[in-house]
Amino acid sequence: MDLLLVEDDAMLGQAVELGLSERQFNVQWVRTGAAAISESQRVNYDVVVLDLGLPDLDGSRVLSSLRKKGQVLPILVLTARDDSSETVKLLDLGADDYMIKPFDMNELAARLRALVRRQRGYATPELSCGPISLDELNFQVLVNQQPVNLSKREFELLRAMMAAPERVHSRDKLEQIVFRNEQQVESNALEVHVHNLRKKLGNKEWIQTIRGVGYRLACG
Amino acid sequence: MDLLLVEDDAMLGQAVELGLSERQFNVQWVRTGAAAISESQRVNYDVVVLDLGLPDLDGSRVLSSLRKKGQVLPILVLTARDDSSETVKLLDLGADDYMIKPFDMNELAARLRALVRRQRGYATPELSCGPISLDELNFQVLVNQQPVNLSKREFELLRAMMAAPERVHSRDKLEQIVFRNEQQVESNALEVHVHNLRKKLGNKEWIQTIRGVGYRLACG
DNA sequence: CTGCAACTTAAGCTTTCCTTAAGTCTTTAT
DNA sequence: ATAAAGACTTAAGGAAAGCTTAAGTTGCAG
């Protein structure tokens, strides 16, 4: 995660750089507003941490200047002033968030993650197992990046097993999941779905049969 | 700007409702976490204000529950606890911002504006997806630079899906959006509009059907 | 008032999916 | 080795979901 830190104070800058680097941010640190503006045009950062009270430009100038140039990246402002009218102004000027010094590094990191997360749009939580990935929300299954079209039952089946790969899932449990309460099945419907699923996934070994018990998903 | 307020305390709820209404928010106020979850699925809000410490569900439960259901709308959490580890948890759980009670109404409004602004994206009020681009303000849709004439319903439909391409949009939600509150639809009107939209877009594969669920826009 | 465009509804059609059942293959136990 | 049980494969019939078309309404503009 590429982060631009705009901070003139050496002590604080170093502390923030270190603290955020430890938390998996890739920090680029500049000391002046002018540098911030040019740097943010040179490289595509994910997020900016901007201290007010820079030597050359007022921080709020930097802020509005960035926005005027069409920068859309999230900006978090650091301020010493706990002045509500000031902070309202900042937010309306285009800041996405602010923190008052002194602040907690964990919270700063969390706020930054939240900003970036929002900016990117939520990556939907995906289940994955080897080359198979399954997006529960969007009903999409990829095998080696290629979309695979599954029917509802097949999807349910795969999802149930992907919730716990490498583990044995009993027939009973799987039938319950796939057929909800719709009716008791007393045919081999489950086996048929397993068969079709195997075919669609393209590798029959991924779904192993545990004779007399159930199935296990084993990929990669 | 449609806002969902989740607050069980009558005094505070009324105060927030009033304060935000005065500031041009269109506030819908619910008292329980359960109501929040169902309401947010029924209507498309721009932003949520969520108080922790609800009677039925813990606020953080509501939060993660919304996120798991794929809600991407911005959520600001109100909390009484000034506990940094708690707030970090909230942010990582999917909150976009929080405020500690008591708070300043102007700042709340400013933070909410900032969230909505970011959600919509600053730069272009234009949505795009592959060769399709959609200008919300001018009601114009281009496919490969060529203008396409859509009716109001078709436009709404496309806009809703372009707000989140690659993502499944349930029939319910789409009907909600396309038919507003006008009446309950109990015909296949949605399907007809989808059909007409596909035809006008010129490529039937861009709008995929997810059987039993809804539709997904997939272009490029 | 008239005409056009957009919208809704309904009916029939197509596609996809699910279940069932029968036959085959594989494993296990005797 | 052989029988029995469990699992696999295949195909057919039917049900469900979605698609298409067309007719009837509505509403707005000329």
Side-chain angles (χ1 to χ4, degrees), chain A residues 91 98 107 117-119, chain B residues 91 98 107 117-119:
Chain A
L91 290 172
Y98 69 84
E107 181 172 347
R117 171 161 33 90
R118 165 144 310 284
Q119 170 76 350
Chain B
L91 291 170
Y98 71 84
E107 180 172 348
R117 172 160 33 87
R118 164 138 313 280
Q119 167 77 350

Side-chain angles (χ1 to χ4, degrees), chain A residues 67 72-74 84 88 91-92 94 96-98 104 107 111 113 117-119 122 124 137-138 140, chain B residues 67 72-74 84 91-92 94 96-98 104 107 111 113 117-119 122-123 167-168 216:
Chain A
R67 288 298 184 221
V72 300
L73 81 184
S84 141
V88 166
L91 290 172
D92 279 337
D96 294 288
D97 201 352
Y98 69 84
D104 177 80
E107 181 172 347
R111 283 184 174 276
R113 282 194 297 271
R117 171 161 33 90
R118 165 144 310 284
Q119 170 76 350
Y122 287 83
T124 54
L137 287 174
N138 297 317
Q140 192 165 75
Chain B
R67 288 301 183 221
V72 300
L73 81 185
S84 141
L91 291 170
D92 279 337
D96 294 288
D97 201 354
Y98 71 84
D104 177 77
E107 180 172 348
R111 283 184 174 276
R113 282 195 296 274
R117 172 160 33 87
R118 164 138 313 280
Q119 167 77 350
Y122 293 91
R167 182 165 221 135
V168 174
R216 165 174 49 208

Side-chain angles (χ1 to χ4, degrees), chain B residues 4 6 9 39 103 108 129 182:
Chain B
L4 179 62
V6 190
D9 183 275
E39 182 66 13
F103 50 82
L108 176 59
C129 174
E182 293 167 24

Side-chain angles (χ1 to χ4, degrees), chain B residues 131-152:
Chain B
I132 309 175
S133 75
L134 180 149
D135 181 341
E136 299 193 69
L137 290 177
N138 302 316
F139 273 77
Q140 192 165 76
V141 173
L142 301 178
V143 175
N144 291 319
Q145 273 55 272
Q146 297 302 309
V148 173
N149 243 335
L150 299 187
S151 76
K152 193 159 158 259

Side-chain angles (χ1 to χ4, degrees), chain A residues 27-67:
Chain A
V27 180
Q28 177 69 28
W29 175 14
V30 301
R31 328 268 155 151
T32 66
I37 290 173
S38 73
E39 181 66 12
S40 74
Q41 290 178 315
R42 202 177 60 75
V43 180
N44 257 6
Y45 288 95
D46 294 304
V47 59
V48 175
V49 174
L50 172 65
D51 195 351
L52 294 188
L54 298 167
D56 56 341
L57 288 170
D58 184 6
S60 60
R61 282 289 208 47
V62 177
L63 183 55
S64 58
S65 167
L66 283 173
R67 288 298 184 221

Side-chain angles (χ1 to χ4, degrees), chain B residues 44-57:
Chain B
N44 256 10
Y45 289 94
D46 294 303
V47 59
V48 174
V49 174
L50 172 66
D51 193 352
L52 294 188
L54 298 168
D56 58 339
L57 288 172

Side-chain angles (χ1 to χ4, degrees), chain B residues 24-44:
Chain B
Q24 318 307 327
F25 287 86
N26 182 12
V27 181
Q28 176 70 28
W29 175 14
V30 300
R31 329 269 155 146
T32 66
I37 290 174
S38 73
E39 182 66 13
S40 73
Q41 289 180 315
R42 203 177 62 73
V43 179
N44 256 10

